[in-house]
Amino acid sequence: MTLQVNKPRVEYFTNPIGIDAERPRFSWILASDAADQRQSAWQIRVASDPASLPDGTADLWDSGKVTSRDTAGIHYGGPLTGSGERVWWTVRVWNQDDEASDWIEPQYWETGLLDPLEWHAKWVMAPRLAPDAGIPETEELDGLLPAAYFRHTFNVEKPVRQARLYATCRGVYEPHLNGERLGDQVFAPGWTDYFRRIQYQTYDVTANIQQGTNAIGGIAGTGWFAGYVGWHKQCRMYGQSPQLLMQLHVDYEDGTRDIIVSDRDWQSTTGPIRYSDFQMGEYYDARREIPGWNTAGFDASSWGGVETAGLGYLPMYADSSEPVRAMESFAAVARTEPEPGTFVFDIGQNIAGWATLRAKGPAGTTITLRFAEILNPDGTIYTENLRDARVTDTFVLAGTGEEEVFTPRFTFHGFRYVEITGYPGTPDLDAVTATFVGSDTTPSGRFTCSDDLVNKLQQNIVYGQRGNFLSVPTDCPQRDERLGWLGDAQVFVGTASYNMDVAAFFTKWSRDMSDAQSPAGAYSNVAPRAVDSRDSAPAWADCGVIVPWTMWKKYGDTGIIEQQWDSMERWMAYWLKWNPNLLWQNKRGNDYGDWLSIGADTDKELIGTAYAAYDAKLMAQMAAATGREDRATWYRDLHSRIAQAFCDAYVSDDGLVKGDTQTSYCVALHFGLVPENMREKLADRLVADVRAKGTHLSTGFVGVSYLCHVLSATGHSDVAYELLHQETYPSWKYSILHGATTIWERWDGWTEHKGFQTPTMNSFNHYSLGSVGEWLFRSVAGIGQAEDSAGFVTIRIEPRFDDSLGFVEASYDSIRGPIATRWERAGGEIRLKVEIPANGDAEIVLPTGVELVGSGTHEFVIPV
Ligand code: BGC
């Protein structure tokens, strides 16, 4: 067998259920034990019965043999399937010698509810849900509502063929059926602009249905819908209280169907969760637990009814990205008692998530958990930087005589330290464990090298990403903010897509960006739009173009271009309308500039103009990739006109860019705004500035994401390496040497000379300054793609060797399969080993020249 088809996926998932793409896209990767293998053709068969695959009649679609090397983005070409239909598919491929692979085992996808008219369920709410008067903080913070419990019973009296639950919430929910919690999602249905779009989840509950009486229900919390979101104690942004919506389809063997929907027959109550809010925390009174509430035999006579609301015209969308899940757990590594009765647990890593507490004591014992990223010098927790987020959980023991365990449901915190007070006795070290909670995107990149601090940097970048990719890409997980900031996301998206497979995640969030776009066409600062601020800030608004472009480049996905095209065009038209002379002088909104740079303010009009030119360049490429030739030409022309305006306004003949900051050179060079013959002059000035600062960077969010790329691209990788290894402030290693386990928001979040930065804005888990991760993969490990390639069709291996590292080893699971490099210094030479996946073509760029290779393992020896 020469080629083997692996990782077959539909719309980025293996055997997904409940999708609503009309013509879902297939992808696979190829493996082979022979070198130099290429796919020359593929064939897909789709059938309603897996037994008829691969060789029987594919009743839905047989593509025939299609000559193509594509392995992703291949659209289903058969008749549209109906709602809730499962269809099966298989694929085989041919190699360059026309040898066919085996067909793969039949795979499937299943559609969700495609037609709005198929939704019969109603939103159910607990009537008069009000803050718990017995809890003091609910007086002060009126958004703190008890979680609502809902239930309903129904009968099943015939053999069941299959059952599906379609469910969602305005709030966050946990679905239950016959005594069991369904699925492992956390904070479903995720965050969208609930006024515009609701995501629903689909659960295969065939095995949960029982003959006779069944109990269905769920617990709903306020979440983003009605809880605290953003700053200034803003809550109830979309509605007053959580609302659950469930529709269960029970299909019987005899071909009939029962549909059970949430409606006015349902019952509701409240239970142990007296409130649970993302920012404020959870109050759990175990004395109020309701054992068996989700089972059929439960006596719910004391429960109240529900209020209902119709669906209206609200668009329902199938959840199409990875769910948020509770993932890795952390044992506490240390416990201290800085004040009598106050215990501080260190879990060794700054994370987003929650803590589980074990305790045994009398009924009514009230234990308080507070959370922090960092400690004060006296060992107490530092919480000033949390601003108005209370970040406090309370656990009231039921007094069962046994050990009781508390894990919150609808809150999360950004923390490394957990402070416990009110504990009965002295807690053991294992009384507290912590759990990471975030969007469960699949890791795709691994990077390690001979320098432990660089490895730590990579680890911190990954933790920063994991802690901040929670349904949407957020700025930080701890303070009263946690918003989908566009600027942060766009500077980091390149790095993010090396670390994890973020195709589905950013496809979803790109929709959120369009939802947040102003009617006039301006992209907002945050998506979903959640705080009031003036739109269209340079480097923030441009995210609307940069993120879809990055997804297309990384995953070869033209679908996201189609999805976002109109929105992106509206943005470009808006920009041009307000800036007809091609300098971004008007409508710069909140105009953050090179946010958090160090003593080097870059001219804001200059940054904006550079981004506008960049947008135009990316639009031209995306237009060309989707066959919009006239738009491609138009945007190419726009790019050169803006670039010309940029040069005329800000660049002198001697290579001086206005303001003479590192960032001004970075944007001019990285966005290709100056003529080829000027590049060296600009690069020299950039290097001179770095040197003048004692080989330190001065860049903020914007400049830092281009700095090392630009240095490498202009022949100054040595300087980039020196910045990477710089240990004194400001630098990446500085924070690591001072205990960072994630990327800090600010270079000077804490310094020896000044201590903590202002608590009004000082997060220790903000990924933006970690955007150097892309350079680690692309230039240190050398894993990238050719300039004009998308989806790693032409892999480009271009490691920038440097004396400071003895070896570098990295791999990246590209959409075309795993690419790996390892280089090592041995004696007077460097040995480079490269692995290219089957069907891959690669340019290996060495100091001695460029070599073209196909799939397989390749080794090179480079004298140094
Ligand atoms: C956020 C950012 C964001 C910025 C806008 C901050 O409060 O945390 O990361 O991009 O505001 O400048």
Side-chain angles (χ1 to χ4, degrees), residues 647 673-679:
C647 289
L673 306 182
V674 295
E676 208 49 43
N677 60 6
M678 293 280 288
R679 289 178 65 84

Side-chain angles (χ1 to χ4, degrees), residues 380-451:
T380 56
I381 59 173
Y382 176 81
T383 56
E384 282 81 345
N385 66 335
L386 305 177
R387 304 194 308 214
D388 284 333
R390 282 186 79 243
V391 194
T392 303
D393 291 349
T394 308
F395 182 31
V396 183
L397 297 186
T400 56
E402 306 290 323
E403 183 179 79
E404 297 178 47
V405 182
F406 162 72
T407 302
R409 261 202 190 71
F410 299 132
T411 188
F412 69 93
H413 318 301
F415 68 101
R416 169 174 170 174
Y417 300 95
V418 188
E419 180 205 79
I420 308 283
T421 49
Y423 197 87
T426 300
D428 292 334
L429 189 62
D430 64 4
V432 170
T433 50
T435 304
F436 210 110
V437 176
S439 285
D440 193 5
T441 51
T442 307
S444 58
R446 285 146 289 266
F447 176 96
T448 142
C449 68
S450 54
D451 185 304

Side-chain angles (χ1 to χ4, degrees), residues 709-778:
H709 290 309
V710 161
L711 288 167
S712 280
T714 54
H716 300 287
S717 283
D718 53 334
V719 182
Y721 274 101
E722 284 182 60
L723 290 173
L724 175 71
H725 293 302
Q726 178 58 264
E727 295 190 355
T728 57
Y729 166 81
S731 69
W732 291 284
K733 283 190 176 179
Y734 181 78
S735 66
I736 293 172
L737 290 168
H738 291 92
T741 60
T742 36
I743 301 295
W744 293 353
E745 176 174 26
R746 321 175 72 125
W747 297 114
D748 57 355
W750 183 90
T751 56
E752 291 140 299
H753 48 289
K754 281 197 184 147
F756 290 121
Q757 246 288 2
T758 167
T760 56
M761 215 190 73
N762 197 18
S763 139
F764 294 94
N765 193 358
H766 239 74
Y767 50 63
S768 301
L769 299 180
S771 58
V772 68
E774 184 173 25
W775 180 76
L776 294 179
F777 277 95
R778 207 159 81 189

Side-chain angles (χ1 to χ4, degrees), residues 472-543:
V472 304
T474 61
D475 54 338
C476 57
Q478 74 296 87
R479 68 178 177 225
D480 58 344
E481 190 146 359
R482 312 178 189 195
L483 299 170
W485 282 98
L486 272 67
D488 308 37
Q490 72 86 0
V491 298
F492 191 69
V493 63
T495 298
S497 58
Y498 271 110
N499 291 328
M500 309 272 174
D501 179 347
V502 290
F505 179 84
F506 275 114
T507 302
K508 180 262 174 192
W509 188 66
S510 294
R511 287 202 188 98
D512 297 336
M513 283 196 286
S514 329
D515 285 350
Q517 195 171 8
S518 79
Y523 283 118
S524 53
N525 300 311
V526 296
R529 190 180 270 274
V531 284
D532 254 353
S533 53
R534 289 171 311 137
D535 292 340
S536 76
W540 271 249
D542 307 285
C543 181

